[in-house]
Amino acid sequence: MAVEEEYLDVLTKTGEKTGISKPRGHVHRDGDYHRAVHVWIFSESTQELLLQRRADCKDSWPGLWDISSAGHISAGDSSLVTARRELDEELGVTLPKDAFELIFVFLQECVINDGNFINNEFNDVYLVTTLAPIPPEAFTLQETEVSAVKYISWKEYEKILASEDPDYVPYDMRGEYAQLFNILSKRYSNDMDRSLILQKQLDRYAPICINTELTGVSEADRGALAVLIEAAMVIDEVFYLQVWYGNPALRDWLKEHSDISNLDKLKWMYYSINKSPWSCLDENEAFLTTADSAVKLLEKSTKAVPGWKGLEYKVAFPMIKPPGANFYPTDMDKKEFELWKSSLKDDQQQAATGFFDVIRRHSESILDASIGSETLSSAQQVVGSPHDLYSVPFSLEYKPLLIKAVELLKKAGDLTDTPSLERLLKGKADAFLSNDYYDSDIAWMELDSKLDVTLGPYETYEDTLFGYKATFEAYIGIRDEEATSKIKLFGDHLQVLEQNLPFDDSYKSKDVVAAPIRVMQLIYNAGDVKGPQTVAFNLPNDERIVKERGTSMVMMKNVSEAKFKHILQPIARTCITEEQREYIDFESFFTHTICHECCHGIGPHAITLPSGQKSSVRLELQELHSALEEAKADIVGLWALRFFIKQDLLPKSLLKSMYVSFLAGCFRSIRFGLEEAHG
């Protein structure tokens, strides 16, 4: 029986899919651009790369030594799934996705076989880091692809390629492929240099001690508080998983090994601030590498070998932070998502673009099931689906953790003697199970409690691919009644601000709801609270609630005071001219923060497109929304302050100080990095 020829997706010269697929032979005959994967297995203890000898029957580079494993990405397939499958088929090595690190992509353009084989190939290059070499007897070689394997020092292999040894498949060492050897060289460099760099990065943060008084908190609420902190710790676990699927393993490994050396201590300290291997203040540049990561043992990833306990590998993470975090498959691009979304019914589209669902792959689920992973969701949905993507609600994706949080929230709800707090906690527990957060967010807006609690999935900053998906967070504090009463003015005048905004009246809402503003003294936070700490937030982000009920704002006064003292004032001494420094004061800083948060609630949210379709600003701006929304709130906040001063609602003494304090605050925000929305 004839073997059916593989089809490949034809790409543009810049690597975008054209929508055309052709037989593999025609692609290489016509010189079409296409995509493939390269997988390198690297033994850390011996500093060796695994090479395979290509079978003599191959139509390109027969009988030559080459990459550990490689293969074309078939039409409709994804990169990471192909990498895993090729390694299994060619070498008999079955690995989970957290073993694969995408280190770079390079374009190979060459012509061989007397002009009959044109290779215009984008290659996704993956690195699998094992602790030691895999025994030769453990491999199961695919005879039609591979005739032999061997390990070789990466430095020796680099020299072989540079000398253009005819027994090895050539790669241009003056071009992009040299990155492989540069990465390995840098990865295992001087620890002293790394310690100095990490210490400098740590020194940019000012540690503070929070000692919030519990005056006025009932005994019942004090009991609830202890349980709520436990629930917040569970929320923290969910957030780590949302950032990257290998993040929890990395965290536990760094913590466990933090007392081995000064470098290990610094790694753990800086990781604890960023909650990931990517530095918030450095455009999300990685400060760790896979070499620093956790070790996992797989006993059945290859053929069994007597006396060998199995394959030990490093949990991998990419040097470039994935824009979709762990909300989407890492190898999914926007075009694939949009094609899938267009095939869905309206309610399914809402889930795909909504706050509370993750996107997964059927093909990845099948692979995971084949190695006994328990991290799968709805693998059975594969049957009959024409698309590889599917959505999974948070309530299912994070079910084991959310069930723990639910139990704690219900317990805290039973302990409190404040009715509105009990309603919030039990409503949030229900939402964690149902994936419907509407009622619990209404309960949060109506909270009237000395114990102030915000807990759940809210902000979308982590999703820089689309800005759709919300991360879990928790803020627990004590309501500052005196400070809250002083700032009631701002929330009560939102409709006035809306009607006076300097743009066309057709975009203005005539039913802006006054925003309740609560000031609290923070006790504990968790979840999406990485890097520079926030001083305030304006929630919820659900456009339905914003339209019907407006938003509510929470200010954390003790955090604001700490930021002003430890961050803003030192920055002002450096960046603000001497004669204007007298205008830097906490009142102006705090007042603009209030206005910034209030102004999130005004201006267009729900919109009608030219086609007549109903949408929202968030959905249309996608990944640009977070940064533009923060810029809007900054500038409209300044405008609002000036408006209040002109209306004699605020003292004229604020006029100069608000601008100078804002300028100093800009230098503070820029330190967050240009990849961060506020920066």
Side-chain angles (χ1 to χ4, degrees):
M1 188 174 69
V3 177
E4 191 172 318
E5 187 169 6
E6 179 183 23
Y7 272 67
L8 307 180
D9 286 319
V10 176
L11 310 179
T12 66
K13 287 186 177 182
T14 55
E16 302 295 322
K17 288 183 179 179
T18 62
I20 300 169
S21 62
K22 293 169 62 173
R24 178 181 179 276
H26 292 188
V27 165
H28 284 292
R29 179 196 66 191
D30 301 336
D32 294 313
Y33 287 83
H34 57 286
R35 190 172 292 278
V37 295
H38 288 187
V39 181
W40 284 103
I41 294 180
F42 174 69
S43 166
E44 192 175 64
S45 62
T46 60
Q47 295 287 292
E48 292 177 317
L49 290 166
L50 179 73
L51 271 61
Q52 67 159 264
R53 186 176 181 274
R54 297 171 65 82
D56 291 333
C57 59
K58 296 290 290 181
D59 56 5
S60 62
W61 315 112
L64 301 190
W65 290 100
D66 198 6
I67 306 149
S68 307
S69 175
H72 291 99
I73 300 176
S74 299
D77 276 356
S78 65
S79 174
L80 181 55
V81 168
T82 301
R84 295 173 66 184
R85 189 183 294 138
E86 289 294 331
L87 196 61
D88 184 29
E89 291 177 355
E90 292 187 357
L91 302 182
V93 178
T94 305
L95 293 174
K97 64 181 179 180
D98 67 358
F100 293 79
E101 176 188 357
L102 179 64
I103 51 175
F104 61 91
V105 179
F106 89 104
L107 174 60
Q108 185 178 33
E109 296 173 297
C110 63
V111 180
I112 59 174
N113 296 356
D114 298 322
N116 295 316
F117 191 98
I118 306 171
N119 196 39
N120 291 323
E121 192 169 81
F122 287 93
N123 293 282
D124 296 342
V125 182
Y126 290 91
L127 185 67
V128 172
T129 302
T130 63
L131 259 60
I134 301 170
E137 314 93 284
F139 294 107
T140 303
L141 304 185
Q142 186 179 17
E143 293 181 359
T144 57
E145 298 286 337
V146 185
S147 61
V149 293
K150 69 175 181 180
Y151 276 98
I152 185 173
S153 159
W154 70 262
K155 292 181 179 179
E156 182 183 347
Y157 182 55
E158 183 181 25
K159 292 176 182 176
I160 286 171
L161 292 181
S163 67
E164 299 181 359
D165 189 311
D167 291 332
Y168 292 78
V169 174
Y171 293 100
D172 184 5
M173 295 304 293
R174 295 164 297 181
E176 296 178 40
Y177 220 85
Q179 291 178 82
L180 170 65
F181 305 102
N182 293 336
I183 288 167
L184 292 175
S185 175
K186 185 178 179 182
R187 186 160 291 187
Y188 298 94
S189 60
N190 193 313
D191 284 353
M192 184 60 70
D193 292 340
R194 292 191 65 198
S195 295
L196 292 172
I197 292 169
L198 281 169
Q199 188 62 61
K200 286 181 179 179
Q201 290 174 312
L202 274 166
D203 289 344
R204 294 176 296 182
Y205 286 91
I208 62 166
C209 183
I210 291 180
N211 293 309
T212 302
E213 294 291 331
L214 299 183
T215 307
V217 180
S218 68
E219 285 301 317
D221 278 359
R222 291 185 186 212
L225 172 60
V227 179
L228 281 170
I229 290 175
E230 287 186 62
M233 291 176 179
V234 178
I235 293 303
D236 215 37
E237 294 288 325
V238 178
F239 175 69
Y240 277 106
L241 193 55
Q242 289 184 302
V243 174
W244 181 248
Y245 48 75
N247 209 24
L250 173 62
R251 175 203 59 202
D252 295 345
W253 179 269
L254 291 172
K255 184 178 181 180
E256 182 183 344
H257 294 79
S258 61
D259 59 353
I260 292 177
S261 69
N262 183 57
L263 175 60
D264 290 307
K265 178 183 177 182
L266 293 172
K267 288 177 190 176
W268 169 241
M269 290 173 67
Y270 199 54
Y271 175 89
S272 300
I273 291 173
N274 293 279
K275 294 193 168 186
S276 81
W278 302 287
S279 175
C280 298
L281 293 182
D282 299 293
E283 316 296 340
N284 288 321
E285 180 182 343
F287 61 91
L288 299 173
T289 73
T290 297
D292 302 307
S293 194
V295 175
K296 286 188 178 181
L297 169 65
L298 291 176
E299 297 178 353
K300 299 179 180 179
S301 63
T302 66
K303 281 193 304 189
V305 176
W308 185 55
K309 63 181 178 180
L311 190 152
E312 290 181 289
Y313 71 94
K314 290 288 186 77
V315 174
F317 55 86
M319 290 176 287
I320 298 174
K321 185 178 181 183
N326 193 23
F327 297 121
Y328 311 90
T330 55
D331 53 5
M332 184 202 80
D333 58 24
K334 281 191 163 189
K335 186 168 185 177
E336 182 184 6
F337 179 87
E338 295 295 349
L339 284 172
W340 167 66
K341 189 186 79 171
S342 66
S343 73
L344 302 175
K345 297 176 182 177
D346 288 347
D347 60 330
Q348 294 172 321
Q349 288 194 18
Q350 289 177 13
T353 60
F355 293 109
F356 313 125
D357 286 70
V358 297
I359 311 303
R360 297 291 179 247
R361 285 196 186 281
H362 290 309
S363 55
E364 198 169 88
S365 296
I366 294 169
L367 274 176
D368 288 340
S370 71
I371 59 173
S373 171
E374 296 179 0
T375 61
L376 300 183
S377 303
S378 306
Q380 67 274 14
Q381 297 178 33
V382 173
V383 179
S385 174
H387 292 275
D388 197 23
L389 302 177
Y390 65 99
S391 61
V392 183
F394 282 4
S395 55
L396 181 58
E397 180 74 8
Y398 311 121
K399 186 175 181 179
L401 290 170
L402 292 181
I403 286 175
K404 291 181 183 178
V406 165
E407 292 171 353
L408 292 165
L409 290 176
K410 287 182 176 179
K411 182 179 178 181
D414 289 337
L415 288 171
T416 180
D417 58 2
T418 305
S420 65
L421 181 58
E422 180 184 2
R423 181 186 166 215
L424 168 64
L425 299 181
K426 292 185 176 180
K428 196 63 71 174
D430 291 340
F432 284 176
L433 297 177
S434 68
N435 218 49
D436 184 351
Y437 288 85
Y438 182 89
D439 289 340
S440 66
D441 281 343
I442 296 294
W444 177 80
M445 295 185 72
E446 295 175 347
L447 181 64
D448 183 16
S449 168
K450 187 69 176 177
L451 196 57
D452 208 302
V453 179
T454 302
L455 192 144
Y458 284 109
E459 304 291 7
T460 61
Y461 302 127
E462 203 68 24
D463 177 6
T464 59
L465 187 65
F466 287 109
Y468 291 158
K469 306 303 176 185
T471 48
F472 280 78
E473 61 187 49
Y475 292 91
I476 302 169
I478 304 301
R479 183 82 59 90
D480 188 326
E481 302 291 359
E482 181 182 352
T484 297
S485 64
K486 287 181 180 179
I487 61 175
K488 192 171 183 292
L489 156 78
F490 299 97
D492 290 346
H493 284 76
L494 280 190
Q495 184 65 68
V496 177
L497 290 175
E498 178 84 20
Q499 293 310 310
N500 285 277
L501 283 170
F503 59 70
D504 192 279
D505 286 349
S506 63
Y507 295 109
K508 297 175 183 176
S509 174
K510 294 180 172 56
D511 53 359
V512 174
V513 181
I517 304 175
R518 314 197 295 253
V519 180
M520 75 169 180
Q521 304 288 342
L522 182 69
I523 294 175
Y524 188 83
N525 64 8
D528 192 358
V529 293
K530 62 185 175 63
Q533 297 297 290
T534 188
V535 297
F537 49 86
N538 191 72
L539 298 172
N541 291 320
D542 187 328
E543 290 90 357
R544 299 172 301 168
I545 298 177
V546 173
K547 183 178 180 181
E548 297 168 11
R549 305 287 295 266
T551 58
S552 186
M553 187 203 315
V554 176
M555 310 284 299
M556 289 168 283
K557 193 170 184 183
N558 52 348
V559 179
S560 296
E561 290 168 340
K563 272 193 182 285
F564 181 78
K565 177 181 177 181
H566 295 286
I567 305 296
L568 195 72
Q569 284 186 318
I571 286 175
R573 287 194 289 270
T574 300
C575 299
I576 303 300
T577 188
E578 188 174 355
E579 59 267 26
Q580 290 189 338
R581 286 178 204 157
E582 63 180 287
Y583 298 114
I584 305 289
D585 60 62
F586 177 71
E587 182 185 4
S588 300
F589 171 67
F590 192 60
T591 304
H592 178 261
T593 303
I594 296 167
C595 271
H596 169 103
E597 296 300 334
C598 279
C599 290
H600 278 307
I602 61 176
H605 286 87
I607 57 173
T608 303
L609 302 178
S611 64
Q613 180 185 350
K614 300 293 183 182
S615 187
S616 68
V617 174
R618 178 183 67 88
L619 286 176
E620 297 307 314
L621 289 179
Q622 297 184 1
E623 78 279 10
L624 302 177
H625 176 258
S626 290
L628 287 172
E629 177 62 30
E630 294 304 330
K632 179 203 88 172
D634 261 353
I635 302 306
V636 178
L638 276 180
W639 168 85
L641 282 174
R642 192 176 182 89
F643 177 84
F644 283 139
I645 291 168
K646 285 184 177 180
Q647 299 296 313
D648 293 325
L649 295 171
L650 288 175
K652 288 184 170 57
S653 60
L654 273 176
L655 201 55
K656 281 189 177 180
S657 62
M658 73 177 191
Y659 284 116
V660 180
S661 296
F662 173 75
L663 178 60
C666 284
F667 286 110
R668 179 183 69 88
S669 297
I670 286 170
R671 293 173 74 243
F672 299 165
L674 300 183
E675 294 296 319
E676 196 275 341
H678 300 79

